[in-house]
Amino acid sequence: MIIRRLEKKDMEAAKSLWRYAFESQEPFCSWYFENVVAPENLLGIFMEDDLAASLQLNPYRLWLNGNSFDTSYVVGVITAPAYRHRGLTKELMAAAIGEMNRKNHGVSILMPFDTSFYSTYGWELCYSQLRYEIPMDMLKNFGATQGNFTPVHGKDDVNALQGIYESYLKDYQGYVQRTPKDWAILIQDLHHDGGYGYILMDETGTPAGYILYFLKDGTLNIRELAYCSHWAKKSLIHFVYRHKSQTTKAAWPAPVGDLDFLFLRDTIKPTPTNTIRILPFMAGRVVNVKSALENCRYPKDTLLSFTLQISDIYGPWNHGIFSVMIQDGIPCVQETEDMEPDLSCSINVFSRLFFGAISLEQALFMEEALLHNPLLSDDLKRIFQQKNNFINEYF
């Protein structure tokens, strides 16, 4: 058994394995392997010359804790049927954590098929989404006719899309800082699946919002909705309502902190008409505790010193005690062996604290973390606060 990064000559085998497990439709599969996947971002287990298992480590940048983070998005964890139930996933995930550490990717994200499966390896659910499913009639009085809509074509629209995206997410954490290539891939994927995209312009011709969506089986299914103002949101919703002759309902994702459900028309009796659910979406993991903490930027008046003990079976470089000094909002982290910890937890809990999926207060209440120095309680709670995360990437 050999575990290594894939080479160009291995890509056809990786494509065949992907097609068997996930996506057999063309032209998506060929497009995906030609435009999205790079061999240096694939890791595989080989049994002699046979690719037995593989995964992708797609590179992105996340905005988190006041700074940008290089991250690996783990995608397509596959084992060939002839090699399943041999523990290859365990070997592959351990190798992937090591590979990400060598790439200096301090954090990682992963979309789990089961929220508990990857917790063995340190990934924990850190992102959820609201999912709206609303009958068209309920949108009639929510929107308003304002602005002009132009179709999304391609690279010429990237600057407009990026500006709206950044404005929409300015109060959120954990989102991907999309590059022109990321936008190009997103738009191509949308068009490959028969989707549509429109940009909303205000009366001065300034981009104010966008909508990316599909029409299928009587539903207007929104891939992404973003806006710079309340009137832009209302105009986008009215754009959706204009499709009432084609569809019976609309569905869209939103951050968990979204409050539109409070203002949508609904019924109470005999049953509620609208469906608004919280769906699990993305797991996160801290790959390297030291580099992740040192990349954070806290308020400039932050002055704090504490020791942190982490247990991490799959990341031995994290397993131990760290001395953390935050001065002028910038952390400095050193490994130490001769100090008692002020705070201790597993890498799983630390990942949730770091991403802000839970606060330190919640972790202590659930007995997921131990605070050995109560005098630091208030200061540490300011560092490890719950955040409003949002992410909407699928590969």
Side-chain angles (χ1 to χ4, degrees), residues 304-308 324 326 342-344 353 359-361 364 370-385:
L304 175 62
S305 178
F306 66 97
T307 51
L308 172 68
V324 183
I326 305 176
D342 295 317
L343 176 68
S344 60
L353 289 170
S359 66
L360 178 59
E361 188 172 13
L364 294 173
L370 291 176
L371 182 61
H372 306 282
N373 186 351
L375 295 176
L376 291 174
S377 176
D378 290 343
D379 288 330
L380 289 173
K381 287 175 182 177
R382 281 192 289 270
I383 295 297
F384 298 113
Q385 297 181 5

Side-chain angles (χ1 to χ4, degrees), residues 310-336:
I310 299 293
S311 58
D312 187 353
I313 297 173
Y314 289 93
W317 50 88
N318 294 327
H319 196 85
I321 300 175
F322 299 88
S323 173
V324 183
M325 177 66 188
I326 305 176
Q327 188 168 9
D328 298 326
I330 301 175
C332 178
V333 182
Q334 299 293 332
E335 295 182 46
T336 181

Side-chain angles (χ1 to χ4, degrees), residues 61-72:
R61 288 188 71 82
L62 293 184
W63 179 259
L64 188 63
N65 293 328
N67 210 352
S68 296
F69 283 79
D70 287 323
T71 187
S72 291

